Amino acid sequence: MRILVTGGCGFIGANFLLKKVQQFSDSQFLNLDALTYAGNPLSLRDIESAPNYQFAHVDLADYESVRQIVSEFKPDVIVHFAAETHVDRSLKSPLSFLRSNVDGTTHLLEAARECWDGNYAGKVFMHVSTDEVYGELGHTGKFHEELPYRPSSPYSASKAASDHMVNAWFKSFGLPTKITNCSNNYGPLQFPEKLIPLMIRNASTGKPLPVYGDGSNVRDWLYVGDHVEAIWQVMEKGKLGETYCIGGESERTNLDVVKAICRSVSELMNQPMESLERLITFVTDRPGHDFRYAIDTSKIKSELGWQPTVTFEEGLHQTVKWYLENPGWIDSVTSGEYLRWVEEHYGATEHA
Ligand code: DAU
């Protein structure tokens, strides 16, 4: 099988999926990545010399390059992760989200359509999307596949638009597509702008832990390994033209997550819990901050037999341990543009 993965250097799930290079030595993998601020080739060091792995530095917004590489590689499967993913960044500069997420996805769909030219047997275009397309929940209820889209941020609106493009290519051209909408991922190798790695980094270096609002917003945390297994099962067994919601069944308030990180850092670094918790700083809330996300996983469970296997406590502890043991990786992604972003976003370098 020839598998084209987009966003393998920056997107935590894509990165994890590419570890399958070793497991599926008969398959050829091509990783397309634009190497933007969050992309770090170092994250793929353990597979980069595998004979069945190739990397191509391609920006999906550049249609000609996308067409060319897709027609050369001739994939059977495309797993499309690449996207601008950070909500806070989309509030500061929304246009780049349209370029990457909407134009980028549309270019890849068109390139696949041209390459496959109606010969769709054994072909799949997997589009990895987000639960944020469904908007926000109150204290009760869960997101599921039948809900209408109600995105709140430029990021989630751009992902919603990309999902619509994928569905349009399925309905209009018969392109063999499948969509997954997942909840918040976490695990090793996640860029430290997201809540969990940002807090681990700051807690372990004695910096403030900036909690938006009162910390009562709720997210459903999905361990990256469970996410990738779900994507793989949808790819192998999911129905064409369908959507599958993927969640970790681990709802936590942000404040609880930050306290759990403090607990793990305290244990692993042998530091008093109170001194870490004192770093928690309540800061101005994110504009339009969705209150709660939660996923009803009935469809993927009953149709494909997938379910999350890693508890939040176990996954978080492993994640904290990985970050503490890999300061070199963090240093490599936290220079230059990253520092400028932190300074601009948080208004002070102390969070970096
Ligand atoms: O639900 C899936 C989505 O999860 C993905 O589609 C997005 O790409 C991904 O970024 C994530 O979106 P969130 O906005 O939920 O993730 P983030 O890590 O930015 O924030 C998680 C929660 O923590 C959110 O309620 C905002 C809060 N937060 C975040 C940061 C960075 C803080 O309180 N302080 C912070 O410094």
Side-chain angles (χ1 to χ4, degrees), residues 278-322:
R278 268 202 297 275
L279 298 172
I280 294 175
T281 312
F282 294 96
V283 300
T284 310
D285 208 352
R286 171 187 282 174
H289 195 175
D290 285 338
F291 174 61
R292 175 174 161 259
Y293 305 144
I295 302 266
D296 176 350
T297 54
S298 314
K299 179 173 174 180
I300 189 165
K301 270 186 175 158
S302 64
E303 280 190 23
L304 308 183
W306 173 87
Q307 59 177 30
T309 60
V310 179
T311 66
F312 182 64
E313 285 63 35
E314 196 187 322
L316 186 70
H317 197 72
Q318 286 309 320
T319 303
V320 173
K321 194 160 174 290
W322 185 88

Side-chain angles (χ1 to χ4, degrees), residues 47-319:
I47 60 154
E48 70 189 2
S49 54
N52 58 335
Y53 171 77
Q54 299 167 57
F55 169 74
H57 184 195
V58 171
D59 181 352
L60 292 181
D62 173 0
Y63 181 45
E64 280 314 313
S65 301
V66 178
R67 278 184 70 206
Q68 192 183 333
I69 193 91
V70 171
S71 72
E72 277 169 21
F73 183 69
K74 300 191 180 16
D76 300 302
V77 174
I78 295 176
V79 191
H80 176 39
F81 288 91
E84 287 288 339
T85 64
H86 198 47
V87 174
D88 295 322
R89 282 182 187 264
S90 82
L91 298 167
K92 301 256 174 190
S93 45
L95 297 186
S96 60
F97 283 69
L98 298 190
R99 183 177 176 278
S100 294
N101 302 356
V102 187
D103 292 351
T105 301
T106 311
H107 292 167
L108 196 58
L109 286 163
E110 260 307 79
R113 184 164 83 96
E114 184 180 297
C115 173
W116 292 338
D117 193 24
N119 300 309
Y120 294 150
K123 307 288 192 283
V124 183
F125 186 110
M126 290 282 305
H127 178 59
V128 179
S129 190
T130 171
D131 60 353
E132 296 194 15
V133 297
Y134 298 118
E136 69 175 339
L137 295 163
H139 287 277
T140 58
K142 291 190 174 189
F143 293 142
H144 57 83
E145 292 80 0
E146 305 308 321
L147 284 177
Y149 278 20
R150 289 192 307 124
S152 310
S153 67
Y155 160 67
S156 50
S158 71
K159 287 300 284 185
S162 71
D163 292 7
H164 290 316
M165 290 299 178
V166 173
N167 283 327
W169 260 246
F170 172 74
K171 288 197 178 137
S172 305
F173 307 120
L175 200 80
T177 60
K178 302 178 188 181
I179 298 179
T180 55
N181 294 88
C182 71
S183 61
N184 287 61
N185 276 220
Y186 72 101
L189 296 163
Q190 188 173 35
F191 193 76
E193 63 189 353
K194 307 287 187 211
L195 179 74
I196 289 182
L198 179 100
M199 295 296 169
I200 297 172
R201 181 164 186 257
N202 285 12
S204 61
T205 51
K207 308 244 166 67
L209 307 177
V211 173
Y212 297 165
D214 62 4
S216 64
N217 295 63
V218 174
R219 296 292 182 265
D220 169 16
W221 294 97
L222 172 64
Y223 187 69
V224 60
D226 280 333
H227 183 205
V228 165
E229 281 319 304
I231 289 172
W232 201 259
Q233 291 194 29
V234 173
M235 179 192 99
E236 287 187 332
K237 303 183 281 184
K239 292 189 191 125
L240 293 177
E242 297 259 331
T243 286
Y244 293 84
C245 286
I246 309 169
E249 298 180 345
S250 293
E251 284 184 55
R252 299 286 185 282
T253 66
N254 292 337
L255 191 55
D256 283 345
V257 171
V258 175
K259 286 185 176 170
I261 291 169
C262 290
R263 232 177 346 265
S264 279
V265 171
S266 153
E267 270 172 51
L268 291 163
M269 293 185 69
N270 203 16
Q271 282 186 14
M273 178 69 179
E274 311 75 63
S275 66
L276 292 166
E277 283 199 341
R278 268 202 297 275
L279 298 172
I280 294 175
T281 312
F282 294 96
V283 300
T284 310
D285 208 352
R286 171 187 282 174
H289 195 175
D290 285 338
F291 174 61
R292 175 174 161 259
Y293 305 144
I295 302 266
D296 176 350
T297 54
S298 314
K299 179 173 174 180
I300 189 165
K301 270 186 175 158
S302 64
E303 280 190 23
L304 308 183
W306 173 87
Q307 59 177 30
T309 60
V310 179
T311 66
F312 182 64
E313 285 63 35
E314 196 187 322
L316 186 70
H317 197 72
Q318 286 309 320
T319 303

Side-chain angles (χ1 to χ4, degrees), residues 5-64:
V5 176
T6 67
C9 298
F11 199 113
I12 177 177
N15 203 281
F16 206 97
L17 185 133
L18 281 168
K19 311 283 176 199
K20 287 186 183 284
V21 160
Q22 284 144 347
Q23 191 185 343
F24 293 92
S25 53
D26 290 347
S27 292
Q28 290 298 319
F29 290 77
L30 170 66
N31 170 21
L32 288 196
D33 199 296
L35 292 178
T36 61
Y37 74 94
N40 183 5
L42 194 64
S43 305
L44 291 165
R45 185 140 287 177
D46 48 343
I47 60 154
E48 70 189 2
S49 54
N52 58 335
Y53 171 77
Q54 299 167 57
F55 169 74
H57 184 195
V58 171
D59 181 352
L60 292 181
D62 173 0
Y63 181 45
E64 280 314 313

